[in-house]
């Protein structure tokens, strides 16, 4: 165990503005930075404000310090400890625009501007190559905390989905108070290129916005974690450690930035989470405090081990020395001094390699087998049983089954081969007994055809039969509802055409094809027909055409299509203006360089072209801003139209489901009434004509012409089994068997082609049900 305080460093951001007075005093083991704040004469002669603020750091990096120097002094010692099995954390803290992201991630322009994260990745793989006696693995995760919600920056859906649609990373705590992050993916990195690609993917998905203090301000806290495991060749011990590289969002004063809207909301969450971080720091610095409020925010929960736990932690305080930011820089240094008072207790994370443990257990099993063989007088208990041993076991099992004594036992010795064989034999006998009881055909009635086998279906799964019955009932409801809708459609068209026949296709007038491609691609889940059957889809299309709000949906779609076309045109205009501005800028710079070289900047005769280009640039900039504002407003209108369309489609689907349920219930009531009337008439006919039962029994069998087509396929016992499998998948509906013997009325549309299809379907179903009927 290593007890160590958090190491603190300070970095001064380079600036071109007015600098405050500061001084760096370098010593052997530490640096001292002093901020001078001269007294303001306007505040009066009696002024007790401090004029100097001194803060001690491990090292203070001045404005001219290179990224490589920062990495060697800050990150390399932490990485060495991680390779030794200790957890490590490096986090940057400071106000917005003070250089935190530049220090942790780096700048995109120069290779030498790489930050701590890419340099750490390169250094890890460099150390892996220098230690061939070890086998290393690296896994990477990238967490973003935006407005107190966690998101996985390496989620492949991050670029194609809205932020609110992504699965949120949630905190889970086990019995040992260890924090686990649900929905946070961990990706392997086999080489430096794969690791840098993951870093680039995560940085692309980060929340960045332009603020008055910073043109590219990160609006979230990000935790880039490297999971390292190392095992020495031949050793059973594996070391696992993790390195957190944290880029905290910068604190900002709303009075300075004048943020509003989304930026104001983001600033409130950022300042609140940093406030909770300071509360944790203060609680850890006080020796008598028993409770530390880690759970106040997600960030402090994630960094629980880094702050007062099993970790070696380093902090970089980034300061801006401009006069307007002097108060924030002093506040940052004060925070760093409190952090330096926290002590962490880091331990080496070692565990046994499970693969080596398995190999050791296998060796122990082999040794036990050898000892067991010696105990059995050298008799080998490996290999297959001989034929004589198998025959003896069959006789023993047969005697055991024939013995009626409930206290009898089956003793085959301590040989596991014999025990396993007995279990297998008993299982085979049980399976054969079940097969004989299930597939045995029922005796055929005298009047049934000689070459047709009737299979008993009573042993089949009742749940499957119930599901199939429900499916058949749903299809009946669909047919009845569609027939009723077709009648209404036919009557409507007959009225319009004054008796002339009209044909209507069941395709909706407002499909998703009318929408722009951008809308359909970004909203694939809005296809509400994807889980409907064909019958319900046709009914839905007719229902949608006559729906009250369908016209509003179509109007919104037309507006959306028009808006997309206008947005596309504005985008082309903006891109053209941007290209033109870049061309004018480069041209003006060239002319300016020439004028400056000849000292002709103040000569109106020679700089007329330069002034003309400047005026043109101002005019183009104004047009660019106007078009950009139009595009921005148009985007808001498009998003609102998309929301209205989605809301209307959801309401349409709900109304259709309610209407469909009502129609199904009404149809089932009609069928029930029809069946009751048929049952009553059948009872009366049976009472008056005794021979009706025989005629029904005869009519329920398959006619000779249909039977001849089935005879060739079901002669053998195998064919009987296959026929039973088919019969297992078809429901036996009592109402349909009764309906087959009586003349039920079928609702027809009046159209000869449609009526013929409906009649053919119902007759085919009756024939199948008659074929599948079990005979007692």
């Amino acid at each position: 165990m290593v007890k160590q305080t958090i190491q603190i460093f300070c970095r001064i951001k380079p600036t071109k503005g007015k600098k405050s007075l500061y001084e760096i005093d370098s010593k052997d083991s530490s640096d001292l930075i002093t901020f001078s704040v001269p007294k303001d004469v306007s505040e009066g002669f009696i002024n007790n404000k401090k004029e100097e603020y001194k803060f001690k750091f491990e090292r203070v990096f001045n404005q001219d310090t290179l990224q490589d120097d920062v990495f060697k002094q800050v990150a390399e010692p932490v990485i060495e400890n991680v390779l030794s099995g200790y957890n490590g954390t490096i986090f940057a803290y400071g106000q917005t625009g003070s250089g935190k992201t530049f220090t942790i991630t780096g700048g995109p322009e120069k290779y030498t501007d790489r930050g701590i994260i890419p340099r750490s990745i390169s250094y890890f793989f460099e150390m892996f190559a220098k230690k061939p006696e070890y086998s290393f693995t690296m896994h990477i995760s990238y967490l973003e905390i935006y407005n107190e919600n966690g998101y996985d920056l390496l989620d492949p859906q991050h670029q194609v989905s809205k932020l609110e649609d992504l699965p949120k990373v949630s905190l889970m705590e086990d019995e040992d108070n260890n924090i686990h992050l649900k929905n946070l993916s961990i990706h392997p990195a086999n080489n430096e290129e794969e690791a840098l690609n993951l870093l680039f993917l995560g940085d692309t998905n980060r929340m960045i916005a332009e603020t008055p203090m910073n043109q590219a301000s990160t609006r979230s806290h990000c935790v880039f974690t490297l999971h390292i495991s190392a095992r020495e060749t031949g050793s059973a011990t594996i070391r696992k450690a993790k390195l957190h590289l944290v880029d905290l969002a910068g604190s900002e004063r709303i009075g300075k930035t004048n943020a509003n809207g989304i930026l104001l909301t983001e600033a409130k969450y950022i300042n609140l989470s940093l406030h909770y971080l300071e509360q944790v720091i203060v609680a850890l610095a006080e020796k008598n405090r028993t409770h530390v409020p880690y759970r106040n925010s997600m960030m402090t929960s994630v960094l629980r081990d880094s702050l007062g736990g099993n970790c070696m932690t380093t902090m970089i305080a980034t300061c801006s020395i401009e006069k307007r930011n002097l108060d924030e820089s002093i506040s940052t240094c004060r925070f760093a001094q409190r952090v330096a008072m926290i002590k962490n207790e880091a331990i080496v994370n070692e565990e046994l390699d499970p693969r080596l443990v398995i190999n050791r257990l296998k060796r122990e099993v082999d040794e036990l087998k050898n000892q067991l063989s010696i105990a059995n007088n050298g008799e080998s208990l490996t290999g297959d049983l001989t034929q004589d041993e198998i025959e003896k076991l069959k006789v023993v099992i047969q005697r055991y089954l024939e013995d009626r004594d409930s206290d009898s036992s089956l003793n085959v010795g301590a040989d596991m081969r014999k025990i396993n064989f007995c279990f297998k034999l008993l299982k085979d006998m049980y399976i054969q007994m079940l097969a004989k009881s299930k597939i045995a055909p029922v005796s055929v009635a005298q009047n049934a055809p000689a070459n047709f086998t009737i299979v008993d279906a009573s042993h089949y799964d009742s749940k499957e039969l119930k599901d199939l019955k429900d499916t058949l009932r749903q299809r009946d409801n669909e047919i009845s509802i569609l027939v009723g809708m077709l009648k209404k459609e036919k009557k409507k068209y007959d009225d319009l055409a004054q008796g002339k026949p009209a044909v209507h296709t069941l395709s909706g007038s407002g499909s998703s094809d009318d929408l722009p491609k951008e809308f359909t691609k970004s909203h694939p889940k809005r296809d509400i027909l994807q889980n409907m059957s064909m019958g319900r889809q046709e009914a839905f299309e007719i229902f949608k055409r006559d729906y009250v709000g369908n016209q509003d949906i179509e109007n919104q779609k037309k507006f959306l299509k028009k808006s997309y076309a206008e947005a596309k045109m504005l985008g082309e205009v903006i891109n053209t203006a941007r290209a033109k501005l870049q061309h004018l800028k480069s041209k003006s710079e060239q002319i300016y360089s020439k004028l400056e070289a000849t000292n002709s900047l103040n000569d109106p005769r020679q700089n007329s072209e330069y002034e003309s280009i400047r005026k043109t640039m101002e005019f183009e900039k104004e047009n660019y801003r106007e078009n950009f504002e139009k595009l921005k407003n148009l985007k808001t209108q498009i998003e609102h139209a998309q929301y209205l369309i989605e809301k209307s489609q959801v309401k349409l689907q709900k109304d259709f489901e309610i209407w469909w349920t009502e129609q199904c219930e009404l149809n089932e009531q009609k069928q029930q009434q029809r069946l009751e009337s048929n049952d009553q008439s059948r009872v009366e006919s049976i009472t008056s004509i005794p021979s009706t039962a025989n005629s029904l029994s005869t009519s329920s069998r398959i006619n000779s012409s249909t039977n001849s087509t089935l005879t060739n396929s079901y002669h053998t016992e195998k064919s009987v089994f296959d026929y039973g499998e088919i019969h297992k998948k078809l429901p036996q509906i009592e109402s349909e068997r009764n309906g087959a013997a009586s003349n039920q009325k079928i609702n027809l549309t009046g159209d000869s082609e449609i009526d013929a299809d409906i009649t053919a379907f119902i007759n085919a179903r009756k024939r199948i049900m008659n074929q599948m009927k079990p005979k007692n």
Side-chain angles (χ1 to χ4, degrees):
M1 179 183 295
V2 178
K3 292 185 178 181
Q4 177 181 317
T5 58
I6 296 179
Q7 306 295 305
I8 58 172
F9 295 83
C10 179
R11 187 175 190 183
I12 306 299
K13 178 186 176 183
T15 181
K16 296 180 180 179
K18 288 187 178 181
K19 304 175 184 178
S20 59
L21 298 176
Y22 74 100
E23 182 181 358
I24 299 175
D25 184 14
S26 297
K27 296 182 180 180
D28 294 336
S29 59
S30 62
D31 289 349
L32 192 69
I33 183 171
T34 303
F35 291 97
S36 298
V37 184
K39 292 184 179 181
D40 192 354
V41 180
S42 63
E43 295 181 0
F45 293 100
I46 301 176
N47 189 348
N48 295 324
K49 287 186 177 180
K50 290 180 64 175
E51 292 184 290
E52 288 187 350
Y53 295 86
K54 296 183 179 181
F55 303 99
K56 185 179 179 181
F57 291 91
E58 296 290 330
R59 175 74 189 277
V60 177
F61 302 106
N62 210 341
Q63 300 182 52
D64 55 351
T65 306
L66 301 177
Q67 292 278 69
D68 189 47
D69 297 334
V70 175
F71 173 76
K72 287 182 179 179
Q73 305 235 7
V74 175
E76 277 191 4
V78 179
I79 295 176
E80 294 291 344
N81 292 327
V82 170
L83 292 173
S84 301
Y86 294 94
N87 294 332
T89 298
I90 301 174
F91 71 96
Y93 178 90
Q95 73 172 114
T96 181
S98 59
K100 298 182 300 303
T101 303
F102 182 82
T103 302
I104 297 296
T105 306
E109 298 178 359
K110 299 179 182 178
Y111 181 78
T112 55
D113 289 343
R114 292 179 305 153
I116 291 178
I117 295 179
R119 290 177 184 271
S120 299
I121 293 173
S122 301
Y123 189 79
F124 267 118
F125 284 101
E126 182 181 344
M127 298 304 295
F128 293 171
K130 291 182 179 179
K131 296 183 178 181
E133 69 273 15
Y134 284 85
S135 60
F136 294 93
T137 60
M138 176 185 286
H139 291 76
I140 294 175
S141 64
Y142 208 171
L143 170 67
E144 178 184 42
I145 303 175
Y146 175 71
N147 291 353
E148 277 303 306
N149 292 320
Y151 299 97
D152 183 8
L153 287 176
L154 301 181
D155 189 349
Q157 299 296 324
H158 208 294
Q159 294 179 339
V160 298
S161 302
K162 294 181 179 178
L163 189 65
E164 55 268 20
D165 295 335
L166 292 172
K168 295 181 181 179
V169 177
S170 56
L171 295 171
M172 303 184 70
E173 190 173 350
D174 59 16
E175 298 176 353
D176 298 328
N177 295 327
N178 296 319
I179 296 296
H180 302 275
L181 299 174
K182 184 180 179 182
N183 295 329
L184 181 64
S185 60
I186 299 179
H187 301 262
N190 298 320
N191 51 55
E192 183 179 350
E193 183 180 0
E194 293 181 4
L196 291 176
N197 287 337
L198 292 172
L199 171 62
F200 176 76
L201 174 63
D203 287 340
T204 305
N205 295 331
R206 287 191 66 174
M207 292 298 297
I208 297 175
E210 181 178 354
T211 65
M213 300 290 292
N214 192 355
Q215 291 183 352
S217 175
T218 53
R219 313 304 293 169
S220 61
H221 309 296
C222 288
V223 182
F224 186 88
T225 306
L226 296 167
H227 303 264
I228 308 296
S229 64
R231 182 174 66 85
E232 189 175 5
T233 305
S235 175
T237 304
I238 184 170
R239 291 181 176 179
K240 293 185 177 180
K242 54 187 177 180
L243 174 61
H244 295 303
L245 300 171
V246 186
D247 181 13
L248 298 176
S251 61
E252 58 188 72
R253 292 187 177 181
I254 307 302
K256 279 188 176 182
T257 61
N258 295 323
N260 52 29
I262 297 177
L263 293 178
L264 177 60
T265 304
E266 293 171 345
K268 289 191 294 187
Y269 278 106
I270 291 171
N271 292 339
L272 182 62
S273 61
L274 294 176
H275 169 68
Y276 288 140
L277 174 62
E278 188 170 7
Q279 284 186 346
V280 171
I281 298 298
V282 171
L284 290 171
E286 295 178 4
K287 297 181 180 180
N288 298 328
R289 286 285 291 268
T290 58
H291 172 68
V292 180
Y294 287 113
R295 298 179 181 175
N296 282 353
S297 70
M298 186 175 188
M299 182 183 63
T300 53
S301 298
V302 172
L303 299 179
R304 174 182 291 186
D305 281 342
S306 304
L307 303 173
N310 175 25
C311 189
M312 291 185 174
T313 305
T314 299
M315 171 190 169
I316 303 177
T318 58
C319 298
S320 174
I321 58 171
E322 295 181 6
K323 284 190 175 181
R324 60 173 183 162
N325 297 327
L326 182 59
D327 292 339
E328 286 82 0
S329 298
I330 294 174
S331 177
T332 300
C333 293
R334 283 174 175 167
F335 178 84
Q337 302 305 304
R338 285 194 290 266
V339 171
M341 299 173 65
I342 300 174
K343 284 187 177 181
N344 288 349
E345 296 180 357
I347 59 174
V348 178
N349 301 290
E350 291 182 342
E351 63 182 26
L352 293 177
D353 190 351
R355 292 177 297 178
L356 297 179
V357 174
I358 291 172
N359 293 333
R360 179 175 58 81
L361 293 176
K362 286 183 178 179
R363 289 195 298 270
E364 292 181 1
V365 169
D366 293 336
E367 292 176 0
L368 292 174
K369 285 182 178 179
N370 294 332
Q371 294 178 10
L372 187 61
S373 176
I374 294 172
N376 286 284
N377 298 323
E379 182 181 356
S380 176
L381 300 180
T382 60
D384 298 332
L385 295 173
T386 63
Q387 190 63 32
D388 293 339
E389 290 175 334
I390 292 175
E391 294 298 330
K392 290 180 181 179
L393 289 174
K394 289 182 178 179
V395 173
V396 171
I397 290 175
Q398 188 66 29
R399 291 176 180 174
Y400 172 73
L401 294 176
E402 293 176 352
D403 190 357
R404 302 298 180 184
D405 187 5
S406 59
D407 296 332
S408 62
S409 61
L410 179 63
N411 187 9
V412 293
D415 192 346
M416 288 301 300
R417 299 173 302 159
K418 295 180 180 180
I419 295 174
N420 290 332
F421 178 79
C422 291
F423 277 113
K424 182 178 180 301
L425 192 60
L426 289 170
K427 184 177 181 180
D428 292 340
M429 295 172 66
Y430 178 73
I431 291 174
Q432 291 177 5
M433 182 181 66
L434 287 180
K436 289 180 180 179
S437 63
K438 286 186 177 182
I439 306 176
V442 182
S443 58
V444 184
Q446 294 182 357
N447 295 333
N451 56 355
F452 181 74
T453 304
I454 301 175
V455 182
D456 182 14
S458 60
H459 57 275
Y460 289 120
D461 190 2
S462 59
K463 182 179 182 301
E464 186 176 3
L465 289 176
K466 183 177 180 300
D467 293 340
L468 292 172
K469 287 178 182 179
D470 293 338
T471 302
L472 189 59
R473 184 170 64 252
Q474 291 176 5
R475 296 295 178 267
D476 289 342
N477 291 334
E478 290 179 6
I479 292 172
S480 300
I481 294 173
L482 285 174
V483 167
M485 297 182 75
L486 286 171
K487 283 183 177 180
K488 293 180 181 179
E489 292 294 317
K490 187 174 184 301
K491 183 179 179 182
K492 183 188 297 184
Y493 278 89
D494 289 343
D495 294 340
L496 293 174
Q498 297 180 356
K500 296 180 181 181
V503 179
H504 174 63
T505 59
L506 293 176
S507 61
S509 59
S511 64
S512 61
D513 296 336
D514 295 334
L515 289 175
K517 293 182 179 179
E518 293 84 351
F519 179 74
T520 56
K521 285 182 180 179
S522 60
H523 300 82
K525 296 181 180 179
R526 294 183 178 177
D527 186 8
I528 60 178
L529 301 177
Q530 59 183 357
N531 295 325
M532 291 186 183
S533 62
M534 291 299 296
R536 291 187 70 177
Q537 289 183 20
E538 293 177 356
F540 178 79
E541 293 295 345
I542 298 176
F543 178 83
K544 182 174 71 172
R545 191 192 61 201
D546 298 332
Y547 186 64
V548 177
N550 189 44
Q551 188 61 37
D552 295 337
I553 297 176
E554 294 304 318
N555 293 336
Q556 290 293 339
K557 287 180 180 179
K558 291 178 182 178
F559 171 76
L560 192 60
K561 190 173 182 180
K562 180 181 177 183
S563 300
Y564 266 110
E566 186 177 351
K568 185 177 181 181
M569 182 186 67
L570 282 175
E572 293 175 354
V573 172
I574 289 173
N575 291 333
T576 304
R578 185 186 293 114
K580 189 174 181 180
L581 282 171
Q582 291 177 354
H583 174 69
L584 291 173
K585 182 179 179 182
S586 61
K587 190 174 180 180
S588 65
E589 289 176 352
Q590 293 176 2
I591 296 174
Y592 181 83
S593 301
K594 292 180 181 179
L595 294 174
E596 189 177 20
T598 58
N599 294 324
S600 303
L601 288 173
N602 298 325
D603 190 354
R605 292 175 299 176
Q606 298 186 19
N607 63 3
S608 58
E609 185 180 1
Y610 177 72
E611 293 297 331
S612 176
I613 292 175
R614 284 188 58 188
K615 291 179 181 179
T616 307
M617 287 180 63
E618 292 296 330
F619 178 74
E620 292 295 334
K621 284 182 180 179
E622 187 65 26
N623 290 338
Y624 177 83
R625 293 191 191 98
E626 292 179 359
N627 291 328
F628 187 80
E629 287 297 325
K630 289 181 182 179
L631 183 61
K632 188 176 180 181
N633 295 333
L634 193 59
K635 181 183 177 183
T636 304
Q637 296 177 10
I638 289 174
E639 291 177 351
H640 182 66
Q642 290 176 351
Y643 169 75
L644 291 179
I645 291 175
E646 183 177 1
K647 185 177 180 182
S648 301
Q649 287 178 343
V650 171
K651 186 176 185 302
L652 169 62
Q653 186 179 8
K654 289 182 179 179
D655 293 343
F656 173 74
E657 293 295 337
I658 295 172
W659 174 82
W660 181 266
T661 304
E662 293 175 352
Q663 294 295 322
C664 290
E665 292 176 354
L666 183 61
N667 184 59
E668 289 179 359
Q669 292 177 0
K670 291 181 180 179
Q671 288 184 358
Q672 187 66 27
Q673 294 175 359
R674 192 182 301 116
L675 288 175
E676 290 177 357
S677 61
N678 290 337
D679 291 341
Q680 184 177 1
S681 61
R682 188 179 296 107
V683 170
E684 294 176 356
S685 61
I686 291 174
T687 306
S688 59
I689 306 175
S691 61
T692 305
N694 293 331
S695 64
L696 287 173
S697 175
T698 303
S699 63
S700 63
R701 289 165 172 77
I702 303 174
N703 56 48
S704 59
S705 61
T706 306
N707 182 58
S708 63
T709 61
L710 299 172
T711 302
N712 297 329
S713 302
Y714 303 101
H715 280 302
T716 62
E717 181 179 356
K718 180 66 172 62
S719 66
V720 172
F721 177 78
D722 292 340
Y723 184 73
E725 289 296 315
I726 296 173
H727 180 54
K728 182 177 179 180
K729 297 179 181 179
L730 293 174
Q732 304 175 17
I733 302 177
E734 186 66 26
S735 62
E736 291 298 328
R737 292 207 302 264
N738 295 335
S742 63
N743 296 324
Q744 298 181 1
K745 292 183 179 180
I746 302 171
N747 294 326
L748 299 178
T749 63
D751 191 313
S752 58
E753 294 182 0
I754 298 176
D755 293 346
D757 291 340
I758 295 173
T759 306
F761 170 78
I762 294 176
N763 291 335
R765 189 181 59 172
K766 287 182 180 179
R767 285 198 300 272
I768 293 173
M769 297 306 303
N770 287 331
Q771 293 174 16
M772 296 297 102
K773 285 193 301 183
K775 301 298 180 181
N776 297 325

